[in-house]
Amino acid sequence: MTYIVNDACIACKFTDCVEVCPVDCFYEGENMLVIHPDECIDCGVCEPECPADAIRPDTEPDAEKWVEFNRKYSELWPVIITKKDPLPEAEERDGETGKLEKYFSEAPGEGG
C-alpha cells in the first residue's frame, strides 16, 4: 500500500503533510502536491494532517489512476519538505469538485 494525493489538493495546496513525512516523499507542483509511490513507506502520518482530505490510501476505489498520476509528477516536480502558506484561493476552492479539469497545472512548484 501507498498513499496518494488526489484532486482535492488542486488549487488549495495545504502543506501541513510535508512536515510530518519521515521520508520526504512529497513533490510540489504549481498548485498541488503529489507523493512518490515508490518512496512512501505507508506510515499514514500525512493523511490526518491534510485539511482538504486529499491524501488517501491506494486501496480506495479509483485510487489506481491517482497512483500513476502521483508517480508521473513526482518524477517531474521538486521535493518539498518545508511547510508553506496555502494558495490564496484555498479556502474558496476547498471541497470543490472537478478541480483536475478546471485548475490543474503541470508546472513545477519551487520545492524546498
Side-chain angles (χ1 to χ4, degrees):
M1 187 179 88
T2 187
Y3 284 83
I4 54 91
V5 179
N6 62 31
D7 58 342
C9 183
I10 299 171
C12 291
K13 198 167 83 171
F14 295 104
T15 56
D16 307 65
C17 52
V18 303
E19 286 196 320
V20 299
C21 180
V23 293
D24 302 334
C25 65
F26 281 90
Y27 292 80
E28 182 184 16
E30 180 179 37
N31 67 357
M32 79 173 293
L33 304 176
V34 292
I35 295 172
H36 195 303
D38 297 334
E39 296 174 1
C40 177
I41 60 170
D42 313 325
C43 68
V45 297
C46 58
E47 187 179 15
E49 296 299 317
C50 181
D53 196 30
I55 300 173
R56 310 300 306 159
D58 72 348
T59 54
E60 290 194 350
D62 202 35
E64 189 173 308
K65 73 176 184 182
W66 288 107
V67 171
E68 291 313 310
F69 181 94
N70 278 243
R71 182 184 315 282
K72 175 182 177 178
Y73 290 102
S74 65
E75 293 174 0
L76 298 172
W77 294 344
V79 69
I80 178 171
I81 59 172
T82 306
K83 184 177 176 177
K84 299 179 180 181
D85 290 336
L87 295 176
E89 66 270 19
E91 191 172 309
E92 177 185 336
R93 300 275 185 250
D94 189 18
E96 187 175 330
T97 59
K99 295 197 299 182
L100 182 63
E101 297 77 21
K102 292 179 196 174
Y103 310 117
F104 176 67
S105 168
E106 291 188 349
E110 296 176 5

